[in-house]
Amino acid sequence: MKYGSLEYQYAEPIARALAEHEGFSKWVLSKSKFSEDADARLLKNEMMLQRQTPTAEWWRFHFFMGCKNPCCSGGRETDIFAVFEAQDKRRFAMHFEVKQPKDRFDPARMQEKRFALRAQCWVDKAPPKVLKHQDASLGIFFSEDRRDSFEPVLSCFPTQITFEEIEREFPQVAEWRNQGRTS
């Protein structure tokens, strides 16, 4: 199986629902530090224009090689990156990590510790292909079955949403169930 294909099976329907299902987007934001702005508008089209890559998905493969900050260098990416605009025109970003049920955090890479640093780095100076924003937060989508093994790193992610919650609240988003969920 190609690297990332199982992750994509979970990430793509979530990203699509953020863009196309207002109720889902509001639900996700209501679980974040931006809960007061849960009705914010996702800037999908603006993100695509900023990327200047017609074949790239608006949400996927956001990374920046030109930053000297170790949190950004080396091609580290954000699984789902979404910039929203609140009614007062303030922009904020959500950096989501997607941990499909067989995935894990590699303690040697200290991956989870770099997420907040990268989010702040991009607020301070957005990379050229990243839409500018004034605030950011982190979220993780993961399987409840992995909660115990992820416990040491979950505190790095203020927004924590399980695939099982999505399956209960928004079954139409949970397309991974139709593809034979792998636990």
Side-chain angles (χ1 to χ4, degrees):
M1 181 179 290
K2 188 174 119 183
Y3 173 79
S5 60
L6 187 54
E7 176 184 286
Y8 189 86
Q9 179 181 328
Y10 287 80
E12 191 279 333
I14 292 170
R16 187 167 12 96
L18 285 170
E20 298 175 1
H21 192 299
E22 185 179 330
F24 181 75
S25 181
K26 284 183 179 184
W27 180 74
V28 169
L29 289 177
S30 74
K31 295 178 170 297
S32 76
K33 80 176 202 176
F34 303 112
S35 60
E36 291 183 13
D37 294 307
D39 60 347
R41 181 175 70 91
L42 175 66
L43 299 176
K44 173 188 165 188
N45 294 333
E46 293 86 340
M47 290 177 67
M48 285 300 297
L49 284 171
Q50 186 76 23
R51 292 193 86 173
Q52 302 171 351
T53 309
T55 59
E57 293 165 294
W58 65 269
W59 57 273
R60 191 171 180 215
F61 293 135
H62 280 273
F63 62 91
F64 183 51
M65 300 292 283
C67 182
K68 295 190 186 338
N69 188 323
C71 64
C72 294
S73 62
R76 292 177 183 91
E77 68 174 343
T78 297
D79 292 336
I80 299 176
F81 177 74
V83 178
F84 295 87
E85 186 175 77
Q87 289 189 1
D88 64 4
K89 302 298 183 200
R90 185 177 33 84
R91 291 180 175 182
F92 58 89
M94 289 295 302
H95 295 245
F96 290 108
E97 179 67 6
V98 178
K99 287 295 188 190
Q100 48 86 1
K102 290 187 175 186
D103 208 349
R104 64 185 181 87
F105 284 97
D106 181 353
R109 291 179 58 208
M110 294 182 9
Q111 177 186 20
E112 69 283 354
K113 304 248 187 254
R114 293 186 174 125
F115 289 122
L117 296 172
R118 181 173 52 232
Q120 188 56 54
C121 183
W122 289 12
V123 165
D124 296 339
K125 186 175 193 269
K129 294 188 178 187
V130 171
L131 199 60
K132 290 183 178 164
H133 48 284
Q134 293 77 42
D135 200 356
S137 189
L138 307 175
I140 184 170
F141 295 102
F142 67 104
S143 175
E144 184 63 44
D145 295 343
R146 302 289 298 188
R147 184 175 294 277
D148 289 344
S149 63
F150 289 168
E151 194 59 45
V153 300
L154 286 178
S155 64
C156 296
F157 300 95
T159 304
Q160 302 170 13
I161 300 173
T162 66
F163 300 127
E164 293 80 3
E165 287 177 274
I166 296 170
E167 290 168 3
R168 280 191 306 274
E169 299 294 324
F170 295 92
Q172 69 277 22
V173 173
E175 294 175 12
W176 49 85
R177 292 187 311 177
N178 302 334
Q179 299 172 7
R181 178 176 172 186
T182 311
S183 306

